[in-house]
Amino acid sequence: MTKRLYAAIAAVLAISAVTGGCGRSSSGDDAGKSTAAAQAKTAKDLVPEALRKTGVLRVATSEGYPPMEMYKKGTQELTGVDPDLAAAIAEKLGLKASVTNAAFDGLIPGLQGDRWDIVMSSLSDTEQRRAAVNFVDYFNAGGAIMVKKGNPEGIKTLDDLCGKAVVLAKGSSNLAIGEKQNEKCADKMKITQSEDAPTGLLSIDSGRTVATIVDSPVAAMYVKETGKYEVLSEQYDAGPWGIAIDKREEDLRDAVAKAMEELMADGGYKAVLDKYGVAANAVPEVLVNTKPWK
């Protein structure tokens, strides 16, 4: 997740030092489909024996980023793209998904500490994080411009934000997108920083600002849920989001990749994305650490 990237990098770097000291696998960025994976008929064939015995795939996510991960209204039941896709993957593996909510900055340390088997929480697949974990990529997203419904300012691209009052979330990659654009503007933007995306939208509601930049699937959700905004189609600094798996668990990595391959083939993957209106963020093929699995 781009808005959470900065908080996680320090933790990942610390973990990398620990893993190096323990002599853990250092397979790096290699997608590296194993011989067993190449010969397997189904994802179930690749499930590690320890998981096969428990029958449970332990999944961690960090609630509060709809439509990717959230609670069902009035309940403590986790739902969204990530919990639903995790359940579909577990079913392909012949396992039952057990999804746990955890603090975002504790997700990867928990994975390293064997508290869960995979992490699905809108994690950007970055070089820094690949120092600690492998990723099976399942989503592609970047920042998108949001404006009031009807687009009264006629904004079409980042260039059109020059000279405008714009609100951007503190510490987010979307703030970085706006600031980078502002360097090119002859007539500078008037940038206000909000605590988060919802707070920024309140600024648009009041007329103090005319646009913001939000991660595209989240922007699509706000448009759908409120009917008060429009999201422009172009995405900026788009990149893959991945399912994080401990580097020691290469068999599980291949099993999850195979499950994704099966879900792409039978329409299960598309069904989950369609349910939340984010089909435009689909990856075209199974990717491991940003590279084709095959």
Side-chain angles (χ1 to χ4, degrees):
M1 176 183 297
T2 51
K3 79 171 187 176
R4 296 163 166 171
L5 174 60
Y6 304 117
I9 287 175
V12 169
L13 292 176
I15 293 160
S16 300
V18 172
T19 55
C22 294
R24 290 178 178 170
S25 169
S26 58
S27 54
D29 292 345
D30 293 337
K33 188 180 180 184
S34 69
T35 301
Q39 295 175 344
K41 293 180 180 179
T42 70
K44 287 182 183 179
D45 296 334
L46 293 170
V47 175
E49 185 60 26
L51 278 184
R52 201 185 303 275
K53 288 180 178 177
T54 66
V56 176
L57 182 68
R58 300 169 300 164
V59 184
T61 193
S62 188
E63 181 274 337
Y65 205 62
M68 301 306 293
E69 43 268 337
M70 54 198 172
Y71 286 129
K72 283 186 179 178
K73 190 173 182 180
T75 77
Q76 292 293 299
E77 182 181 352
L78 288 162
T79 189
V81 175
D82 288 346
D84 287 15
L85 188 57
I89 289 170
E91 185 175 355
K92 289 294 183 187
L93 298 176
L95 304 171
K96 179 181 179 182
S98 175
V99 185
T100 299
N101 183 46
F104 188 80
D105 58 3
L107 291 174
I108 291 179
L111 190 67
Q112 299 285 335
D114 195 33
R115 294 182 61 191
W116 28 76
D117 302 306
I118 67 174
V119 168
M120 293 188 69
S121 196
S122 309
L123 280 171
S124 295
D125 177 348
T126 65
E127 184 176 354
Q128 294 95 330
R129 287 176 176 154
R130 286 198 295 275
V133 298
N134 284 315
F135 284 104
V136 176
D137 300 323
Y138 66 101
F139 209 74
N140 194 64
I145 297 173
M146 286 187 72
V147 297
K148 189 173 288 188
K149 187 174 183 179
N151 195 0
E153 300 289 331
I155 295 168
K156 297 179 181 177
T157 69
L158 283 177
D159 290 339
D160 296 328
L161 297 181
C162 294
K164 302 288 195 305
V166 177
V167 59
L168 300 165
K170 289 179 181 176
S172 70
S173 58
N174 295 317
L175 173 62
I177 292 170
E179 290 178 334
K180 184 177 179 181
Q181 171 62 33
N182 210 22
E183 294 174 1
K184 305 174 186 176
C185 293
D187 185 9
K188 299 297 183 184
M189 300 181 206
K190 301 172 185 63
I191 295 177
T192 299
Q193 296 189 29
S194 62
E195 290 300 322
D196 50 31
T199 307
L201 292 176
L202 294 176
S203 175
I204 293 178
D205 293 345
S206 68
R208 286 176 286 137
T209 60
V210 300
T212 185
I213 303 171
V214 177
D215 287 352
S216 61
V218 180
M221 185 277 301
Y222 285 132
V223 169
K224 180 180 178 182
E225 294 292 323
T226 68
K228 299 195 305 184
Y229 312 102
E230 289 185 18
V231 57
L232 307 189
S233 59
E234 188 169 356
Q235 295 184 39
Y236 302 96
D237 288 355
W241 295 0
I243 303 165
I245 302 168
D246 193 294
K247 280 188 173 293
R248 295 167 295 185
E249 301 292 344
E250 293 190 350
D251 289 348
L252 178 58
R253 177 201 66 190
D254 287 337
V256 171
K258 185 69 175 179
M260 277 291 297
E261 186 177 69
E262 293 176 2
L263 287 167
M264 287 180 173
D266 68 13
Y269 172 59
K270 184 176 184 300
V272 171
L273 299 191
D274 282 345
K275 178 179 177 181
Y276 295 98
V278 294
N281 300 97
V283 293
E285 60 182 325
V286 178
L287 302 171
V288 172
N289 296 331
T290 73
K291 299 176 182 177
W293 186 48
K294 289 185 176 179

